[in-house]
Amino acid sequence: MDRCKEGHLNDERFFQNNCIYDHLLEMFAQYKGRTMMVICKSEQVSSYLEYEATALYLTEVAKESGVKAFFRFVDDMDLDPFNMEVIDPEFGKPDFIFKLYPTEWLVKDLENEKCDDPIQLFRANNFIERPWKLLLGGKFMLPELYRIYGDKYGIIPAWHTREECMDKKVVAKPYYGRIGDVEILDPGQLTTMTEPVIYQEFIDLPTYGDDNVKVTIGTFMIQGKPSGFGIRQQVADVTNDTCWFAPHVV
């Protein structure tokens, strides 16, 4: 958009295909007048504070939608020890909880620090993202989808065990791995990861430009609607959180 302001791209047809803010307003509007706690993990080591900044932004958008929203770190959540209800010292029991935090991380951290029964926690509080997302969010489903649908719908071949694909170059991915948490294996090579993994066929991305960068495109989904996309570039085969985020127009 800076290029448009400078006059290099002055055609009115250029746009970024970005409706994230508008769709967030629509999503939060259904909770208008209710209290909502927005939570994320404290990033004490990171100098970027990516999760905190994003959670604070979502809190402000929710307020614009008429929601009585407030922000807390997961570490600062107060739980009633008898029924596992979240009770905030300032706002009381929130009507809803919006978490910018993977469910599997939340369950693990709560088990270690705050409660012995995360299931009771989810039953006692209204999390907008329900715990069954643990199943859909895990990569364990990928081999099952490939088994059911094959190569349809752009599904990459995937397997549960290395024996099923020993002759192929694959990528090992933990069930609940995050950005960059993968391992590329040549034919016959075994993974060094200790946690449960699935295996996907290795797809070598084409390179572009003088820097020979590889490009991946991700879509922002809000309530099932595509709301924008981001373009990441990196020289390595694995995309991680230090890659370049490329600006774009359509």
Side-chain angles (χ1 to χ4, degrees):
M1 301 311 294
D2 289 337
R3 299 278 291 172
C4 293
K5 294 176 183 178
E6 294 168 0
H8 299 290
L9 297 172
N10 53 14
D11 193 318
E12 294 182 355
R13 293 174 298 174
F14 284 119
F15 65 103
Q16 286 191 295
N17 191 33
N18 185 340
C19 304
I20 296 174
Y21 173 73
D22 299 311
H23 289 176
L24 284 174
L25 284 176
E26 293 176 8
M27 180 190 72
F28 284 126
Q30 62 186 302
Y31 307 104
K32 183 176 181 179
R34 313 294 292 277
T35 57
M36 178 183 297
M37 175 188 285
V38 181
I39 62 173
C40 77
K41 180 71 172 178
S42 175
E43 301 167 272
Q44 298 174 352
V45 179
S46 173
S47 61
Y48 298 103
L49 301 179
E50 178 181 353
Y51 294 134
E52 180 180 347
T54 303
L56 288 171
Y57 169 74
L58 291 170
T59 303
E60 292 304 312
V61 176
K63 289 180 179 178
E64 292 181 36
S65 301
V67 181
K68 300 174 184 177
F70 61 97
F71 169 74
R72 295 287 184 267
F73 288 118
V74 172
D75 300 341
D76 299 330
M77 287 172 52
D78 290 325
L79 301 180
D80 186 320
F82 297 102
N83 56 21
M84 289 295 106
E85 288 186 345
V86 175
I87 305 294
D88 187 77
E90 183 177 355
F91 295 93
K93 179 175 170 36
D95 295 312
F96 298 95
I97 300 176
F98 183 103
K99 61 180 187 60
L100 188 73
Y101 198 57
T103 301
E104 64 271 18
W105 291 6
L106 179 64
V107 170
K108 183 178 180 180
D109 288 343
L110 289 175
E111 283 181 328
N112 291 339
E113 300 171 12
K114 292 183 180 289
C115 71
D116 297 327
D117 188 1
I119 294 178
Q120 185 180 358
L121 175 81
F122 281 103
R123 286 175 175 170
N125 301 280
N126 290 322
F127 283 86
I128 291 179
E129 184 181 85
R130 305 307 296 171
W132 53 261
K133 288 292 293 292
L134 270 172
L135 178 62
L136 296 183
K139 296 181 179 65
F140 182 87
M141 294 288 290
L142 297 178
E144 296 304 310
L145 291 174
Y146 177 63
R147 179 180 63 82
I148 295 171
Y149 298 107
D151 295 328
K152 295 181 180 179
Y153 313 114
I155 296 176
I156 299 174
W159 304 270
H160 285 296
T161 66
R162 187 63 172 119
E163 287 75 13
E164 297 175 276
C165 53
M166 187 64 78
D167 61 335
K168 300 182 183 297
K169 185 173 183 178
V170 297
V171 178
K173 297 182 177 182
Y175 287 175
Y176 290 105
R178 294 287 156 175
I179 298 175
D181 190 13
V182 302
E183 185 178 40
I184 298 175
L185 305 174
D186 289 322
Q189 186 178 4
L190 301 178
T191 181
T192 61
M193 293 185 179
T194 56
E195 63 265 54
V197 301
I198 61 96
Y199 301 90
Q200 272 188 322
E201 186 174 357
F202 175 80
I203 305 296
D204 192 13
L205 297 175
T207 59
Y208 298 90
D210 296 334
D211 296 328
N212 291 321
V213 296
K214 298 186 176 184
V215 177
T216 54
I217 299 178
T219 302
F220 296 94
M221 301 294 293
I222 300 175
Q223 288 194 308
K225 295 186 291 187
S227 305
F229 62 87
I231 303 175
R232 297 188 182 214
Q233 298 177 344
Q234 77 282 342
V235 177
D237 290 320
V238 179
T239 304
N240 57 33
D241 55 2
T242 61
C243 63
W244 308 310
F245 197 83
H248 67 273
V249 292
V250 179

